[in-house]
C-alpha cells in the first residue's frame, strides 16, 4: 500500500512539474555570467536579462549577448543593475557607476546618449519603474531618486527635507492610484503623492529600520518586505 501511494504521489509531482515547465537558463543556454540582477519581458515576448557582465536577450531556449551601448566617448562597464521596458518600446538599462542607457526595442538598436536623457555618469541605478502617467523613476545607490517626465529632456531629483538621507538608496517602486510607494533604506516606509508632489512616511508602531526593502501592490493591499525582519 505504501509503495502504491508513493508511486501515485511521485507521478502527481511529475505532472505538476511538467505543467509548470520549469527550466534553467545557464551556460548551456548561452548565459555566460550567472550573476543576474534584473529580468524583464518586452511586448513581443523577448526576455531581457541584466547580468554583472552584460545584457542578454532570451528567446526559444537561447540567450544571446546583446550589444546595448552606443558607441560614444562615454566608457561604462557591462555591470547591469536594473532593467525597464516602457510602454513606448524602449528598454532602459541601469548601470553600476554608469547611469542610464537605452535600447529601441522596435529595431533592437542602442539609442544614442545624445538622445537619451543622461544621469551623472557615476550614478549606480539599482531600480527602474514607469508610472501610469509615463514618468520614469530611477532609484540609485547612494545618490537619491530621479524622475523623468514624458517629453522631458532632463532628469530631476526627488527632494525631501524630512527624508533626504532615506531617499539616497532606493530598491523598488510600486504604484497605487495617486500614490507611489518607495522601498528605500532607513526606518520609514515612504510614499510619494503625485497630486501634492510630496514625500511622506507611513506611520507604524513597529520598528521598520532596514538597509534594503521591496514593495508590491495588490489592489488595496501594499506588501513591504524588509531585510532581516520579514514581510508586512
Amino acid at each position: 500500500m505504501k509503495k502504491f501511494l508513493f508511486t501515485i504521489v511521485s507521478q502527481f509531482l511529475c505532472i505538476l512539474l511538467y505543467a509548470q515547465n520549469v527550466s534553467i537558463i545557464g551556460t548551456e543556454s548561452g548565459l555566460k555570467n550567472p550573476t543576474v540582477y534584473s529580468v524583464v519581458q518586452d511586448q513581443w515576448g523577448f526576455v531581457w536579462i541584466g547580468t554583472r557582465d552584460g545584457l542578454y536577450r532570451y528567446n526559444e531556449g537561447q540567450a544571446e549577448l546583446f550589444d546595448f551601448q552606443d558607441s560614444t566617448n562615454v566608457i561604462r562597464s557591462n555591470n547591469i543593475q536594473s532593467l525597464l521596458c516602457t510602454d513606448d518600446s524602449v528598454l532602459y538599462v541601469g548601470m553600476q557607476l554608469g547611469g542610464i542607457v537605452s535600447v529601441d526595442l522596435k529595431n533592437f538598436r542602442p539609442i544614442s546618449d545624445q538622445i537619451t536623457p543622461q544621469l551623472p555618469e557615476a550614478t549606480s541605478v539599482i531600480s527602474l519603474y514607469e508610472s501610469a502617467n509615463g514618468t520614469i523613476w530611477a532609484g540609485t545607490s547612494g545618490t537619491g531618486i530621479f524622475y523623468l517626465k514624458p517629453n522631458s529632456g532632463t532628469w530631476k531629483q526627488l527632494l525631501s527635507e524630512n527624508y533626504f538621507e532615506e531617499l539616497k538608496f532606493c530598491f523598488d517602486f510600486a504604484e497605487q492610484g495617486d500614490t507611489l510607494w518607495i522601498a528605500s533604506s532607513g526606518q520609514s516606509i515612504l510614499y510619494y503623492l503625485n497630486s501634492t508632489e510630496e514625500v511622506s512616511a507611513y506611520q507604524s508602531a513597529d520598528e521598520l529600520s532596514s538597509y534594503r526593502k521591496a514593495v508590491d501592490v495588490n489592489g488595496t493591499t501594499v506588501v513591504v518586505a524588509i531585510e532581516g525582519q520579514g514581510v508586512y
Side-chain angles (χ1 to χ4, degrees):
M1 183 65 177
K2 289 182 179 180
K3 183 177 181 181
F4 175 75
L5 288 175
F6 176 77
T7 302
I8 295 297
V9 171
S10 298
Q11 291 177 348
F12 179 69
L13 289 176
C14 288
I15 292 172
L16 285 179
L17 289 175
Y18 179 78
Q20 293 295 326
N21 194 25
V22 177
S23 60
I24 298 175
I25 303 173
T27 54
E28 68 283 353
S29 304
L31 190 67
K32 297 179 181 178
N33 195 307
T35 304
V36 176
Y37 294 112
S38 186
V39 178
V40 294
Q41 187 174 29
D42 65 28
Q43 65 190 77
W44 293 279
F46 292 103
V47 176
W48 297 88
I49 305 172
T51 76
R52 187 165 58 185
D53 192 27
L55 176 68
Y56 290 80
R57 184 180 65 183
Y58 179 79
N59 184 48
E60 296 183 348
Q62 192 65 29
E64 296 183 1
L65 189 63
F66 185 85
D67 186 9
F68 64 96
Q69 297 199 48
D70 179 42
S71 55
T72 66
N73 294 327
V74 178
I75 300 193
R76 298 181 172 96
S77 73
N78 286 323
N79 191 328
I80 298 172
Q81 297 288 299
S82 55
L83 295 171
L84 170 68
C85 289
T86 65
D87 289 341
D88 58 353
S89 303
V90 174
L91 175 67
Y92 281 90
V93 182
M95 311 293 299
Q96 183 183 50
L97 300 177
I100 288 278
V101 297
S102 62
V103 176
D104 186 342
L105 293 175
K106 294 179 181 177
N107 56 28
F108 297 127
R109 293 182 180 177
I111 299 175
S112 169
D113 287 347
Q114 280 70 40
I115 297 176
T116 301
Q118 293 295 299
L119 290 168
E121 292 177 20
T123 303
S124 292
V125 182
I126 56 177
S127 60
L128 287 164
Y129 185 81
E130 182 180 24
S131 57
N133 63 8
T135 299
I136 307 298
W137 295 85
T140 75
S141 177
T143 53
I145 296 174
F146 296 83
Y147 61 93
L148 181 68
K149 290 188 175 181
N151 303 317
S152 173
T154 305
W155 290 89
K156 293 185 178 181
Q157 187 171 7
L158 180 63
L159 300 176
S160 173
E161 187 174 317
N162 295 328
Y163 305 104
F164 176 78
E165 290 296 325
E166 294 181 66
L167 289 173
K168 284 185 176 180
F169 293 82
C170 179
F171 305 95
D172 201 7
F173 301 93
E175 193 171 21
Q176 185 186 45
D178 186 53
T179 305
L180 181 70
W181 292 93
I182 300 169
S184 64
S185 59
Q187 62 183 4
S188 303
I189 297 177
L190 302 180
Y191 61 91
Y192 171 84
L193 292 178
N194 288 288
S195 55
T196 62
E197 298 187 340
E198 293 181 352
V199 177
S200 300
Y202 172 76
Q203 301 301 320
S204 173
D206 297 324
E207 174 58 47
L208 303 177
S209 180
S210 171
Y211 171 67
R212 186 183 294 270
K213 298 183 181 74
V215 63
D216 199 5
V217 170
N218 183 10
T220 59
T221 303
V222 179
V223 181
V224 181
I226 301 177
E227 183 182 49
Q229 295 190 43
V231 179
Y232 290 79

